[in-house]
Amino acid sequence: MNFPGGIIKILFDWYSKTFTIVRRNNSFSRLLLVRSGIKQGGILSPLLFNIYIKTIITALEKADMGCHVDNIFVRCIAYADDILLLSASVVHLHKMLEICQSQGEKLDVRLNRKKSCLFTFGKDYNEQLADMHFGDGDVIRVDTMKYLGINFVSSKRAKLNFR
């Protein structure tokens, strides 16, 4: 991605010196070297994760599926370790999930079905949709969804609830 070698060396040095201690009840483990992942809550972590999953985002772009939001074509919104897929079609959404799953396997990134949901808005928002299946079960359909601290409410037009 044409990053300067000096920046890569600094990041490598910084992340190769990451240690942690695990606490269970009132006992502590010995000091453990962290060999993978990004620092939880680190200021660079969302950016580094998005760089890491760029192949997933690129694959979604190549598939040319998504929807228009205020005349802007959107496929996905990725922030930190969250990916929000947007689609005007359930069939396309399912294909987008398959792309995320297959590309994620190449990166050793697994989608967590239990932290996923199907949220609808638009003229047919209350229409009964077929179950969305991936991994080892169905994705649950919800009428409200919280994403990046914002509550979305299913309706004809996307509604936000800041309570």
Side-chain angles (χ1 to χ4, degrees), residues 4-5 9 27 29 36 62 65 70 72 86 88 92-93 98 106 112-113 118 126 140 146 156-157:
K9 286 179 183 176
S27 299
S29 72
S36 65
K62 287 180 182 175
M65 292 178 265
D70 285 337
I72 300 170
L86 290 100
H92 283 183
L93 182 60
E98 288 174 350
K106 294 175 186 176
N112 188 337
R113 180 188 52 80
L118 178 61
N126 59 356
I140 61 165
K146 189 171 190 171
K156 190 169 185 172
R157 295 190 52 84

Side-chain angles (χ1 to χ4, degrees), residues 66-79:
C67 65
H68 285 87
V69 178
D70 285 337
N71 297 320
I72 300 170
F73 191 70
V74 182
R75 294 165 183 86
C76 71
I77 299 170
Y79 182 77

Side-chain angles (χ1 to χ4, degrees), residues 49-111:
F49 186 77
N50 283 349
I51 290 169
Y52 185 70
I53 64 163
K54 178 99 171 102
T55 57
I56 295 173
I57 295 168
T58 301
L60 288 168
E61 288 173 355
K62 287 180 182 175
D64 200 31
M65 292 178 265
C67 65
H68 285 87
V69 178
D70 285 337
N71 297 320
I72 300 170
F73 191 70
V74 182
R75 294 165 183 86
C76 71
I77 299 170
Y79 182 77
D81 63 348
D82 288 325
I83 298 175
L84 180 67
L85 301 177
L86 290 100
S87 175
S89 157
V90 174
V91 172
H92 283 183
L93 182 60
H94 195 268
K95 288 179 183 177
M96 292 170 80
L97 270 173
E98 288 174 350
I99 289 168
C100 289
Q101 202 164 8
S102 67
Q103 293 296 317
E105 286 173 6
K106 294 175 186 176
L107 298 171
D108 200 23
V109 171
R110 289 169 191 77
L111 302 179

